[in-house]
Amino acid sequence: KSLHSLRAAALASGATSSAATQPTYAEASTIDRCLASAVLGLACVMAGTGNLDTLRLFRILRIRASVTDAASPASSQHGQAMALGMAKGLLFLGGGRWTLGTSNSAIAALVMALYPELPSRPGDNRYHLQALRHLYVLAAEPRCAEARDVDSGAQCLVPIEVDAVMDEAVAGTAGTPIPAGPRDATGGRPGKRLVTLRKVTPCLLPELDSVVAVRVLGPRYWPYSLDVAGTPTHALAVRGRTIFVKH
């Protein structure tokens, strides 16, 4: 919508002919490429969540791409369909049990896999080797935490709180700032905030290196806390992504 609004404003301010109502091939290719890049970026943010609103948006864009548009060259249609297919795959990564990491190696793999030079056909390797699209798997990591009853071993729906250290750019105004100083068990250093997240298992955890504590809530199960930052055995339990609870 933003791309089309910008184009309409440009036409209104600089068009010399009233016939310029349809986008040219160059404009259509640019719009398709920008949409594909935005879709892949959104898929990276929502990776593994299976968010229904995001899925609805992808379906709308897929229907739009499938409609024959006289102003859209055939060379951009395959690339857009490929980008939407990758985006839906990332959205349900690992069946909702995996997500994308943010380490240097993970970011490098994603840059190669999501390079915004879209192919015009399945065998188009002129500007980007299509085999590199599979490198997203190097950025995927299992991060789904589940709770199980310690007596029966059955999986449970348990509300939990997760304390995690996040960059201020990500956390915004949420949480409490961590004062500058030498790094401690909570990751104390400037530009970081301690954020408390409320979730219900099974759920995706933040990056395991950033988790400080996990607390079991609710009246149904015995409440307790895992001091991930200060107790190695608790950290090992969280890294195993299984939390045992008891009535």
Side-chain angles (χ1 to χ4, degrees):
K1 183 184 294 185
S2 299
L3 290 171
H4 286 289
S5 298
L6 288 173
R7 180 182 177 278
L11 288 175
S13 60
T16 57
S17 172
S18 60
T21 57
Q22 295 295 327
T24 64
Y25 275 12
E27 290 174 334
S29 296
T30 301
I31 290 174
D32 289 344
R33 182 172 299 182
C34 291
L35 283 175
S37 298
V39 162
L40 290 173
L42 177 60
C44 289
V45 174
M46 306 300 293
T49 63
N51 183 269
L52 291 180
D53 290 334
T54 306
L55 177 62
R56 292 188 186 101
L57 175 61
F58 291 167
R59 291 184 64 186
I60 291 172
L61 293 175
R62 184 66 186 90
I63 294 172
R64 171 191 174 276
S66 64
V67 176
T68 302
D69 187 351
S72 180
S75 59
S76 68
Q77 293 173 4
H78 171 75
Q80 191 176 21
M82 183 211 67
L84 288 168
M86 289 187 67
K88 285 186 283 188
L90 291 173
L91 183 63
F92 294 96
L93 188 64
R97 305 182 69 86
W98 290 57
T99 188
L100 298 176
T102 58
S103 63
N104 291 337
S105 59
I107 293 173
L110 288 174
V111 168
M112 290 185 284
L114 308 179
Y115 190 72
E117 185 63 46
L118 302 178
S120 60
R121 60 187 185 280
D124 181 11
N125 296 295
R126 183 177 182 182
Y127 299 108
H128 182 250
L129 186 63
Q130 294 308 305
L132 298 180
R133 299 288 180 189
H134 300 282
L135 290 182
Y136 74 92
V137 298
L138 299 179
E141 57 185 34
R143 217 189 290 163
C144 179
E146 62 179 13
R148 291 189 176 273
D149 190 285
V150 70
D151 296 320
S152 64
Q155 194 177 57
C156 313
L157 297 176
V158 179
I160 62 173
E161 278 186 348
V162 181
D163 292 340
V165 176
M166 295 185 178
D167 292 330
E168 287 186 340
V170 176
T173 58
T176 57
I178 300 176
R183 184 169 181 170
D184 55 19
T186 62
R189 53 197 182 277
K192 301 290 182 177
R193 299 183 76 89
L194 185 63
V195 179
T196 300
L197 306 173
R198 286 181 172 266
K199 296 177 175 287
V200 177
T201 62
C203 61
L204 290 175
L205 293 176
E207 288 190 271
L208 300 180
D209 291 337
S210 68
V211 176
V212 175
V214 177
R215 291 180 295 277
V216 176
L217 306 176
R220 185 173 183 180
Y221 295 97
W222 189 267
Y224 71 95
S225 176
L226 294 173
D227 182 13
V228 179
T231 308
T233 53
H234 291 183
L236 185 63
V238 173
R239 288 186 178 278
R241 303 183 305 281
T242 300
I243 302 172
F244 289 98
V245 295
K246 184 175 178 61
H247 278 288

